[in-house]
Amino acid sequence: MKKVIVTGHTGFIGSYVINYLQQKKYHVIGISRNKLQNSNFNQFKIDIDKINEKKISGKIFGVIHCAGITDVQYCHDNPDKYFKSNLSSTQKMLEFSRRKKCKFPGTLNRF
């Protein structure tokens, strides 16, 4: 079974991505600042800035990056922090994907 990491799995889009991947019989690993109650997949409560291969071992097929700051008011009030945070998390996941030699089909963050 192919292993896929979904960042931001507790969010609106991430939760739908998880459901879809499970229906397609992927082994799903969720990464977020929070954990879901009563989930039927592996979850890690990790800040993306601190992700490393020690916590997530083994062969990874792909990464779907759904994590990011979504609070509209915060983004409006702090555009530089919003941009830097979301850009940084995307860079971290791209680098993680490169090191793990896995697919990175894209990110759901739009700058």
Side-chain angles (χ1 to χ4, degrees), residues 20-33:
Y20 176 81
L21 291 171
Q22 287 182 315
Q23 288 174 4
K24 297 295 181 184
K25 306 296 183 206
Y26 285 91
H27 175 89
V28 178
I29 299 172
I31 296 176
S32 186
R33 292 182 184 149

Side-chain angles (χ1 to χ4, degrees), residues 33-87:
R33 292 182 184 149
N34 305 306
K35 281 189 171 184
L36 295 173
Q37 298 293 324
N38 304 320
S39 68
N40 58 352
F41 59 92
N42 294 341
Q43 301 181 74
F44 292 96
K45 185 177 176 179
I46 304 172
D47 187 322
I48 290 174
D49 288 334
K50 296 179 176 100
I51 192 168
N52 62 52
E53 288 80 8
K54 292 176 188 169
K55 294 202 182 244
I56 301 177
S57 60
K59 176 94 172 114
I60 305 293
F61 176 73
V63 172
I64 300 176
H65 181 46
C66 302
I69 298 171
T70 59
D71 183 297
V72 175
Q73 189 63 49
Y74 178 85
C75 297
H76 181 268
D77 295 344
N78 304 283
D80 290 338
K81 287 182 183 178
Y82 159 76
F83 181 79
K84 284 180 183 178
S85 176
N86 285 350
L87 181 62

